[in-house]
Amino acid sequence: MAGSDDLFLRAKHRTFSGFTEDAEREWTGPFCFIQAADPQLGLMKTWREGDCSGGGDEWAEEVELTKQAVKAVNQLRPKPRFMVLCGDLVHAMPDTPFREGQERDLKAALKGTDPSIPLVFVSGNHDLGNTPTPSTVEQYCRAWGDDYFSFWVGGVLCLVLNSQLFYDASACPQLKEAQETWLEAQLSEASSSSSSTKSATVSVSAQEPKPKHILVFQHIPLYLRSPDEEDDYFNLQRVVRENLMDRFKRAGVKAVFSGHYHRNAGGCHGGLDMVVSSAIGCQLGEDTHGVRVVVVTADSIIHRYHSLEQLRDRGMDEDLRKLLQA
């Protein structure tokens, strides 16, 4: 089994260290990855009791569900290139009771992950606080790695964002500005097949390959059903989402993957797929505990939500598996 330093690979200088960067910039054929969201240790009991403001004093159910997800993912063939958890890793907010225990037990459950499947962590509102501060962001980074970063895998550029800085950065405006500067540089670089642009921390040499696809991972969805829907707790404010969608489309982003809603939702508008996946943990709708299998081909991003039971007993759907043999 991998040690903690191997399993919980950190983002360094805003690039993810889980892959050999240069080797992953070239397209080498179809592959799959797993998108999961909201293990949120501690929510299930508090939701049943109708008191979600607390951190939750019991989380054995979520630990068991996380272990089931890990076991099901481990036995997939071909193996996923990575598994990304799109936020709300635990329920207890920063600096509240049960936080330390929930983080400890989630890490223990995830250590069963096949060491050849890197884990990618995305920050959620419960990981940072609804109004994050420099202190809560620092705490998250110490526990899980950078709150925003990029990585390449199989010729695909992946951008991991801190969506809480889009939602409410009133207590940390400098952190919001830093992410905005970094993101603009990343999108500018990705939209051109050769660039000499420099971000705040990454120097990009000329004649870099153009990504086959660009994918974004964040916790809060841009929208749940439609880009013109009303502002809600579960989506980004309309002025923010419109700005991001415009920038993503201009850069050629293919899909945005998120959680937060604890139900499956999303849509596709203007060629940009908004994928909202339900939770490993507490369900707030009619979906079952599960994860999303994402198949990346030369032309498309095909994804489907699988229940943990289905994934364990039958693996990914046969039509998705056939796409990986092309």
Side-chain angles (χ1 to χ4, degrees):
M1 180 184 299
S4 60
D5 288 341
D6 298 322
L7 181 61
F8 300 106
L9 294 163
R10 305 298 194 213
K12 298 297 185 183
H13 304 297
R14 301 300 175 194
T15 58
F16 184 59
S17 60
F19 303 96
T20 304
E21 189 82 357
D22 291 340
E24 293 293 346
R25 289 176 178 263
E26 298 292 340
W27 175 253
T28 55
F31 65 88
C32 70
F33 67 86
I34 300 298
Q35 186 227 356
D38 301 276
Q40 203 159 342
L41 273 61
L43 176 59
M44 292 178 73
K45 180 185 176 183
T46 61
W47 179 258
R48 284 195 299 268
E49 294 182 348
D51 180 20
C52 294
S53 59
D57 60 353
E58 293 180 14
W59 51 87
E61 291 174 286
E62 291 96 335
V63 168
E64 179 57 32
L65 288 164
T66 301
K67 289 180 177 179
Q68 290 177 24
V70 165
K71 184 177 181 180
V73 169
N74 283 348
Q75 58 190 33
L76 289 176
R77 296 295 183 273
K79 290 182 180 180
R81 293 298 309 275
F82 64 92
M83 178 163 68
V84 56
L85 281 77
C86 282
D88 279 3
L89 307 176
V90 299
H91 182 62
M93 292 286 189
D95 302 316
T96 63
F98 313 121
R99 171 77 170 212
E100 182 178 352
Q102 290 174 9
E103 288 191 332
R104 178 195 63 232
D105 290 351
L106 178 59
K107 288 182 178 182
L110 291 171
K111 277 193 177 181
T113 307
D114 186 319
S116 70
I117 305 173
L119 294 170
V120 179
F121 299 103
V122 181
S123 59
N125 58 304
H126 279 263
D127 305 311
L128 301 170
N130 287 319
T131 303
T133 68
S135 175
T136 63
V137 173
E138 181 184 2
Q139 290 174 42
Y140 171 86
C141 293
R142 284 201 306 267
W144 302 103
D146 284 340
D147 56 320
Y148 62 91
F149 55 92
S150 66
F151 64 96
W152 287 77
V153 55
V156 174
L157 175 62
C158 300
L159 304 178
V160 173
L161 303 181
N162 178 347
S163 58
Q164 213 57 34
L165 296 179
F166 299 132
Y167 193 83
D168 182 4
S170 57
C172 55
Q174 291 179 321
L175 296 183
K176 176 183 179 180
E177 182 61 29
Q179 178 175 248
E180 288 287 348
T181 299
W182 174 88
L183 176 59
E184 191 57 37
Q186 291 286 315
L187 295 175
S188 176
E189 292 157 8
S191 64
S192 174
S193 59
S194 63
S195 172
S196 58
T197 303
K198 291 186 179 181
S199 69
T201 57
V202 182
S203 178
V204 181
S205 61
Q207 302 303 320
E208 287 187 349
K210 188 176 180 68
K212 180 66 70 172
H213 303 294
I214 307 170
L215 306 178
V216 169
F217 301 96
Q218 59 188 55
H219 180 61
I220 303 177
L222 299 170
Y223 60 85
L224 299 175
R225 304 292 179 188
S226 173
D228 59 2
E229 68 194 21
E230 296 298 317
D231 294 353
D232 185 85
Y233 170 79
F234 287 111
N235 62 21
L236 288 179
Q237 299 92 330
R238 187 165 178 174
V239 63
V240 175
R241 90 176 70 123
E242 289 177 349
N243 174 269
L244 285 172
M245 289 182 67
D246 180 62
R247 293 160 70 189
F248 289 165
K249 289 176 182 178
R250 283 190 283 110
V253 173
K254 197 62 147 304
V256 178
F257 292 89
S258 71
H260 191 50
Y261 191 44
H262 293 253
R263 287 152 283 200
N264 288 305
C268 189
H269 295 268
L272 177 64
D273 201 359
M274 179 65 249
V275 185
V276 185
S277 289
S278 197
I280 288 178
C282 186
Q283 301 297 312
L284 304 187
E286 301 302 318
D287 296 301
T288 57
H289 309 284
V291 299
R292 189 171 296 272
V293 177
V294 185
V295 172
V296 181
T297 71
D299 301 317
S300 303
I301 309 296
I302 304 98
H303 53 85
R304 193 170 303 151
Y305 190 79
H306 291 59
S307 71
L308 296 183
E309 181 180 1
Q310 174 190 356
L311 205 65
R312 179 197 66 204
D313 294 343
R314 303 193 300 275
M316 73 177 76
D317 290 340
E318 183 62 26
D319 61 326
L320 296 181
R321 190 181 296 109
K322 287 181 177 178
L323 289 172
L324 296 170
Q325 300 169 353

